[in-house]
Amino acid sequence: MTRKSFSRALWAALFAAALTGPAVADIKDYAFELVQREAKVGEAVLSVRLVDRRTGKPVTDAVIFAKRIDMAPDSMEEMVSKIEQVPSTEPGVYRFKAKLSMAGGWRLSLGAKVQGETGTVENKLVFQAVK
């Protein structure tokens, strides 16, 4: 094999390896999902699951850095409540404690970093507070 032929073969092999390498996830491949779509008015614990949409598997060890809860679905975005992350024993499930002051539509907004990925997972989840 000549040096030129070897060089072409090497480049072709490297190109083929790049095309068949491991798939790189996009931050849009991750999403939060509500575990329950309803919560009782008063002190409530809300559970959400972070999943990899490509596999359906839960994502553990994400870092939740942004959280907000408000009544935007009922046109009362200024009606907010304090929200606090609490421990969870289920892999990929993240729990939050909040005081839901009245019945109606609530929106839980979350921002998180997934280990090994660039970008931020951001979701706005709507649920109902019931008496």
Side-chain angles (χ1 to χ4, degrees), residues 37-125:
R37 298 217 176 268
E38 286 187 349
K40 293 279 187 190
V41 169
E43 291 292 327
V45 176
L46 309 167
S47 298
V48 297
R49 183 174 292 112
L50 180 57
V51 296
D52 182 334
R53 291 178 179 174
R54 298 164 301 157
T55 63
K57 293 183 179 180
V59 177
T60 58
D61 300 328
V63 177
I64 311 291
F65 67 88
K67 51 197 174 292
R68 176 184 162 95
I69 191 164
D70 60 45
M71 289 193 75
D74 283 355
S75 300
M76 294 186 282
E77 192 168 355
E78 68 283 351
M79 177 73 83
V80 298
S81 182
K82 291 183 180 179
I83 185 166
E84 168 188 351
Q85 189 169 352
V86 294
S88 176
T89 57
E90 192 177 341
V93 174
Y94 300 84
R95 298 176 65 211
F96 304 91
K97 183 169 68 171
K99 182 169 176 140
L100 305 177
S101 55
M102 61 189 294
W106 287 81
R107 176 179 67 184
L108 174 61
S109 302
L110 297 171
K113 294 288 186 183
V114 174
Q115 303 296 323
E117 300 293 343
T118 57
T120 301
V121 178
E122 296 180 87
N123 288 119
K124 295 176 190 267
L125 308 167

